[in-house]
Every structure is written in C-alpha cells, then in structure tokens.
Amino acid sequence: NYLAEFEAVSEAGMLDELKDKMIDEPVPSFTLTDIEGNEVSLADYRGKTVIIDFWATWCNPCLRSFPAIKEVVIKYEDDPNVKFLFINSWENADDKKENAEKFINGNNYPFHVLIDSDNEVITKFKVEGIPTKFIIGPEYKIKFKSVGYSGNPEQLVKELEMMIELTKKQG
C-alpha cells in the first residue's frame, strides 16, 4: 500500500512537472523518404499527435532507449490519432537507408523510419544532440521537446505516455 501511494505521488509530481515544461512552438514542415521508399510529409499527420524521434545507429543512448520506446509504440499502435516517426539523422554510413533498415529489421523494431540523408530536417528542428524527441499536437505545434535518455526505461515509458496524453488533451 505504501509503495502504491508513493508511486502515485511520484507520478502526480511528474505530471505537474511535465505540464510546466509544455511548450507551444511552430513545427517545421518536412517531407522525407522512409526506408520502404515512400515519401512522408509531416503535414500528412495534421490533426494527430505525432512523436518524432531523431536518432542514429551509432548513438548508444538512442539504441538503449529503443526497447522502452517500442513498448510505447505498441501501446498506441491501435490509436489512429497517435503516430510515431523515427528520423535517422547524422548517420555516418555510405548507404544511410540500408544501414538504418538493417538495424531496424535486425532488431525487429516496429518503427516508421524516415531517412534525413542531408541532415536538413534535424537542422530545421535545431537539434543539438540525440536522441531528441518532439511531441507535436494535433494543432501542428510542438508541445514537448525531450533530449537524451536517463537510462531508466520505466521512467521513459511513463514520461512519453504522459506527454502523449497531455498533448492529446490540448488538441
């Protein structure tokens, strides 16, 4: 009982902290090609909550965060109003698409991966380090920016779920 009470207080504190961190910034538009060769535009998801995760295959914190993020992706896979886009940027490989595709398929991640081969989109979003996640609201505004990975998968899952739910309520 005591532990459950402690966790509830902790979650309430996290929720209040996230509400204070909520922003309302314009989102840069973009169109990229996914690893299947399809063009994907952020504008295609207007009216939905979109989670954008900038990452690279050489980025250890990015890769360590993926199992937790996979859990969140699976939780929302049947919600038509929540979409995840994983933007592979700052990649060092000669064939960036093949490199990302091998990694994603080799690890069985159900991620929709876009290739930012010229690093234009990551520059538009003014990302300074990866992993960086943006939660974009249905009204096409950035609501949260999350940089880095603490190493705590449970915390990441809870934080992402709370950001998504707060963003959905705003829209």
Side-chain angles (χ1 to χ4, degrees):
N1 256 354
Y2 176 74
L3 183 59
E5 191 175 306
F6 180 75
E7 286 175 351
V9 169
S10 175
E11 283 185 19
M14 182 189 278
L15 190 61
D16 288 341
E17 192 177 309
L18 285 174
K19 285 178 183 175
D20 290 342
K21 288 182 180 179
M22 204 167 204
I23 56 179
D24 195 36
E25 296 178 3
V27 62
S29 60
F30 65 84
T31 300
L32 291 171
T33 303
D34 66 17
I35 58 177
E36 285 85 31
N38 303 306
E39 275 200 355
V40 177
S41 174
L42 181 59
D44 297 340
Y45 301 104
R46 192 179 293 269
K48 300 184 183 316
T49 297
V50 180
I51 299 82
I52 296 176
D53 188 339
F54 286 96
W55 69 285
T57 59
W58 54 262
C59 169
N60 195 35
C62 301
L63 306 184
R64 286 193 351 248
S65 72
F66 276 3
I69 295 171
K70 179 181 179 179
E71 187 178 322
V72 180
V73 168
I74 290 169
K75 176 179 179 172
Y76 286 96
E77 70 186 349
D78 293 328
D79 186 335
N81 294 311
V82 177
K83 297 296 176 191
F84 291 81
L85 299 175
F86 292 81
I87 301 180
N88 181 261
S89 298
W90 293 343
E91 201 60 70
N92 299 323
D94 290 332
D95 188 334
K96 295 173 183 181
K97 177 188 165 297
E98 181 182 328
N99 186 57
E101 188 174 20
K102 264 189 202 173
F103 174 79
I104 292 296
N105 292 338
N107 287 285
N108 199 29
Y109 286 125
F111 300 162
H112 190 181
V113 175
L114 312 179
I115 306 298
D116 187 13
S117 54
D118 297 324
N119 301 316
E120 289 178 23
V121 176
I122 199 167
T123 301
K124 278 184 177 182
F125 275 79
K126 300 179 180 138
V127 173
E128 296 176 5
I130 54 176
T132 295
K133 292 165 197 46
F134 291 88
I135 291 48
I136 299 164
E139 75 295 343
Y140 216 59
K141 297 277 187 172
I142 296 171
K143 294 302 191 178
F144 292 99
K145 177 181 179 180
S146 175
V147 180
Y149 175 56
S150 70
N152 182 332
E154 294 83 14
Q155 180 182 351
L156 177 58
V157 167
K158 183 55 67 183
E159 184 178 75
L160 276 174
E161 288 173 349
M162 286 181 175
M163 283 191 245
I164 290 167
E165 293 305 320
L166 283 170
T167 301
K168 285 169 63 176
K169 286 179 186 173
Q170 290 282 313

